[in-house]
Amino acid sequence: LICHGNDDPFVKRLDLEAFQREMTEDGILWNIKKFEGVRHGFTNPAQDFHHNKNAFSYNERAAVESWDAALQLLSKHTIC
């Protein structure tokens, strides 16, 4: 599971596309959840206090949705 903010300046679009190709070519089961308008560190509320507002920010919707996706993945693939 990859949760990615599309406005994350640290992950270039071409790098993300190359990664996706590699995962698929290697036969790895994977999923990506992309969040429009979301920057780096979106799950951490403290990011709103970061000095670089163009790169970092908290996004509650993306944080909740990514956490839900992670919990769904874990509930599907773990033995309890």
Side-chain angles (χ1 to χ4, degrees):
L1 173 64
I2 301 161
C3 295
H4 173 67
N6 276 349
D7 285 353
D8 185 334
F10 301 110
V11 180
K12 305 293 184 243
R13 184 182 54 81
L14 292 176
D15 292 338
L16 185 59
E17 290 171 0
F19 176 77
Q20 292 174 83
R21 265 192 315 279
E22 285 181 34
M23 297 289 279
T24 300
E25 289 169 2
D26 289 344
I28 297 169
L29 294 176
W30 64 278
N31 185 24
I32 188 166
K33 192 163 184 58
K34 295 181 183 178
F35 299 100
E36 293 295 325
V38 175
R39 294 186 281 267
H40 191 79
F42 63 86
T43 62
N44 182 355
Q47 297 296 16
D48 282 346
F49 302 103
H50 197 283
H51 69 277
N52 187 347
K53 298 287 186 204
N54 293 324
F56 298 90
S57 71
Y58 173 68
N59 184 290
E60 184 175 11
R61 177 191 55 81
V64 168
E65 288 182 26
S66 64
W67 183 245
D68 287 345
L71 291 176
Q72 287 175 16
L73 177 72
L74 290 171
S75 71
K76 210 176 188 184
H77 297 285
T78 56
I79 300 171
C80 296

